[in-house]
Amino acid sequence: MAAPALGLSVRSTLAVLERGLTLYRRLWRASLFGSFVLPVLFLISIGIGVGGHIGQVGGVSYLAWIVPGVMASTAFQMAVGECTYPILGDFKWTRGFHAMRATPVEVGDMVCGHLLYILIRVQIAVVVFLGVTALFGTLHSPWALVTPLVCGLVALAAAAPTMAFAASIDHDSYFALLFRFVMIPATLFSGVFFPVDRLPGLVRPLAYLSPLWHGVELNRAATLGAAPPWPVAAHLGYLLAFTAAGLAWALHAFGRRLQD
Amino acid sequence: MVTTWIAARISPGRVGAVLGRNLGALRSGPAYWLVLVSGFFEPLLYLLSIGVGVGALVGELPVGGRSLDYATFVAPAMLAVSAMSGALAETTYNFFFKMKYMKTFEAVLATPVRPVEVALGELGWAMVRGSVYTALFLVVMVALGLTSPLGALAAFPATVLVGLAFGALGMAVSTLMRGWQDFDLMSTGQFALFLFSGTFSPVTDYPAALQVLVQLTPLYHAVELVRGPAIGEAGWGLLPHVLYLLVMMAAGLLFAARRLQRTLMV
């Protein structure tokens, strides 16, 4: 069989999005915890509990300092989570993508429809989270309103390559390696909990490679009303380039897998 | 009397066969050594990020009348969490999958192996896997100067008890699960324990009512039991924590074996 076309049509993409939202209607109660309750519990334990022993970081309370980081890492983790088992499952167990292939839906629609679905999920979670943190008095600038956009970009940058990875593997035990060697280190060492300039000089460039770091710094600049360490255009450019590369890889991986 | 009757009918050979099946099943997957060993990196990464990175912001922490370096305070808690999550990963997701989808236990029970032996074998396997992680983690703690070699030797059996107690609880909970969605609730509970069991900051920081609530939950006792020997403060005061975990283990095992008997031997 010839390689499936990479075409992209608005109607088919929206159909893939609709399928995601239909499935989500049956799961949203359970996901409420992951996307909203857990980050708030996290803020209370680390931000207030540990923060009580820290005092100020960069001129603000530790809680105000980690809020933008936790927000970006929530988007990051949510995006990775939605692109591991669900994607492999639709190739391997439920064969949802093979079913789509039998319709006018093409590879580009499948990838973009799923990314749109993730974007919607992330926006809801981030906007609610932003509202709660505003009550804690941790937002110091009206620029905080752009954080949902930054989180959306972080989610796309994380989701696209993860989708490609999930479409390229045969066994789900590789996800354990992805979580432990990529996702968790990226979360723990991207300036969410402590400034990256405290990392040893040799490791620091690795943090700069992580899209999460760029999202964290943009978010933090927005909620605290300060300038980020790199020019805003550089941070945004890196996130966009990362997303574009991930997208290209995902389209390629989906196309290959649907050839059989 | 009941326990001696049960014990008399348990064969170590059959328990070992259940354990051996798990090892064989793991080896049949790809990259199994990497998957097995990588479980150890998770608590290590948390230790480096929170213990060392955030610890540099915290400095010293007043705990029970003395001042502790923050990494020294957090490391034993990460160790206890690692013992808990190692045991739970094996006895919840994997156990449930084998019970409900793979029908592994139905196949096993078609042999002379009995439900209680399945429960013990599964728990034993979870302990083998979990103990590899905690032992490696203790070696790292000694290397980083976060505990003494003697403290590590004393903390190791404590981590085994923590694993046994949570492993038994995990199996008991798994027999009650209706589907994967219930696991979301479980992992939420697990994460809440992780955050509020005196892991990242002393429980004395919390309001009094919350302190009482925390002292009722299991991970608090696990953290206290592991932290005591690790920071060189072991004594009779640890006994209530030991008792709590022993009761949890016995109750979990009995409950799991009974449920297995009822759901599989009809």
Side-chain angles (χ1 to χ4, degrees):
Chain A
M1 188 178 169
L6 293 178
L8 182 68
S9 84
V10 175
R11 266 185 67 184
S12 303
T13 300
L14 289 180
V16 177
L17 168 66
E18 188 188 346
R19 171 196 181 243
L21 293 175
T22 309
L23 284 175
Y24 183 60
R25 261 200 354 218
R26 301 172 58 178
L27 302 173
W28 66 273
R29 281 181 202 84
S31 82
L32 214 62
F33 284 104
S35 53
F36 170 63
V37 177
L38 292 185
V40 171
L41 288 180
F42 205 92
L43 281 186
I44 294 173
S45 171
I46 307 285
I48 300 179
V50 181
H53 297 279
I54 290 182
Q56 296 222 320
V57 181
V60 294
S61 75
Y62 184 63
L63 181 65
W65 194 83
I66 64 165
V67 157
V70 172
M71 200 187 294
S73 78
T74 303
F76 180 78
Q77 296 203 336
M78 208 171 173
V80 172
E82 280 295 327
C83 289
T84 50
Y85 289 92
I87 296 289
L88 182 62
D90 269 347
F91 277 118
K92 194 172 169 175
W93 299 307
T94 67
R95 294 182 79 78
F97 290 128
H98 292 82
M100 289 182 209
R101 187 183 61 177
T103 71
V105 173
E106 294 178 22
V107 165
D109 305 317
M110 298 177 200
V111 172
C112 293
H114 192 71
L115 288 177
L116 269 183
Y117 161 72
I118 290 169
L119 214 48
I120 290 176
R121 292 268 322 264
V122 165
Q123 289 308 309
I124 295 172
V126 169
V127 168
V128 174
F129 189 74
L130 194 65
V132 174
T133 51
L135 298 178
F136 281 97
T138 59
L139 308 177
H140 295 272
S141 157
W143 280 104
L145 291 173
V146 305
T147 51
L149 297 177
V150 174
C151 290
L153 199 50
V154 169
L156 290 181
T162 311
M163 273 174 109
F165 177 76
S168 316
I169 59 173
D170 260 333
H171 202 285
D172 59 319
S173 64
Y174 289 111
F175 288 140
L177 302 180
L178 176 77
F179 293 142
R180 282 165 186 158
F181 293 117
V182 182
M183 192 187 85
I184 293 177
T187 309
L188 290 173
F189 300 99
S190 288
V192 176
F193 305 105
F194 60 93
V196 289
D197 52 23
R198 288 186 179 260
L199 287 173
L202 276 174
V203 196
R204 219 173 297 151
L206 287 177
Y208 300 152
L209 285 179
S210 155
L212 181 56
W213 179 71
H214 298 272
V216 168
E217 293 297 352
L218 284 174
N219 262 356
R220 188 165 287 139
T223 64
L224 301 182
W230 292 9
V232 173
H235 286 299
L236 285 177
Y238 185 83
L239 284 171
L240 286 171
F242 204 94
T243 306
L247 196 58
W249 183 25
L251 291 172
H252 175 74
F254 269 60
R256 270 187 57 173
R257 186 133 194 184
L258 290 174
Q259 263 177 20
D260 56 356
Chain B
M1 219 192 89
V2 180
T3 37
T4 44
W5 177 78
I6 293 174
R9 304 187 56 168
I10 292 172
S11 130
R14 293 196 292 255
V15 173
V18 175
L19 217 147
R21 192 217 73 90
N22 282 314
L23 180 65
L26 179 75
R27 291 180 60 163
S28 70
Y32 90 95
W33 272 114
L34 211 52
V35 172
L36 191 66
V37 173
S38 71
F40 149 75
F41 280 95
E42 217 169 295
L44 181 66
L45 291 170
Y46 272 94
L47 177 64
L48 291 178
S49 173
I50 308 289
V52 181
V54 178
L57 303 172
V58 175
E60 300 270 305
L61 201 65
V63 179
R66 60 189 260 209
S67 187
L68 275 187
D69 181 52
Y70 189 64
T72 310
F73 174 80
V74 167
M78 293 296 114
L79 181 63
V81 168
S82 161
M84 166 183 82
S85 50
L88 280 184
E90 199 60 50
T91 58
T92 56
Y93 292 98
N94 291 358
F95 185 89
F96 182 72
F97 188 64
K98 283 184 266 188
M99 188 172 73
K100 188 145 182 173
Y101 296 101
M102 298 253 292
K103 308 280 179 205
T104 308
F105 298 145
E106 289 178 17
V108 170
L109 293 174
T111 70
V113 175
R114 308 170 51 77
V116 67
E117 289 161 347
V118 171
L120 284 173
E122 290 292 321
L123 188 59
W125 167 240
M127 290 321 300
V128 170
R129 212 173 156 173
S131 299
V132 173
Y133 300 151
T134 49
L136 282 172
F137 195 80
L138 277 166
V139 170
V140 172
M141 279 173 64
V142 172
L144 293 177
L146 298 175
T147 187
S148 62
L150 207 64
L153 280 179
F156 182 70
T159 65
V160 174
L161 178 59
V162 171
L164 285 170
F166 276 98
L169 177 72
M171 278 193 289
V173 170
S174 293
T175 61
L176 295 174
M177 291 282 174
R178 292 163 300 174
W180 294 113
Q181 268 90 64
D182 287 342
F183 280 96
D184 283 339
L185 289 177
M186 188 201 77
S187 53
T188 304
Q190 197 183 331
F191 194 68
L193 291 183
F194 171 57
L195 290 175
F196 296 101
S197 295
T199 32
F200 296 109
S201 57
V203 274
T204 45
D205 283 0
Y206 305 154
L210 193 60
Q211 276 188 48
V212 174
L213 191 67
V214 166
Q215 284 165 356
L216 293 175
T217 60
L219 185 60
Y220 164 78
H221 297 277
V223 169
E224 292 295 309
L225 182 63
V226 175
R227 188 178 277 146
I231 63 172
E233 276 181 11
W236 291 111
L238 296 179
L239 205 59
H241 306 307
V242 174
L243 285 176
Y244 183 104
L245 295 171
L246 280 176
V247 169
M248 185 168 138
M249 175 183 78
L253 262 181
L254 280 177
F255 185 84
R258 269 190 56 185
R259 289 276 307 177
L260 277 180
Q261 179 102 35
R262 213 178 283 171
T263 49
L264 297 175
M265 303 265 301
V266 279

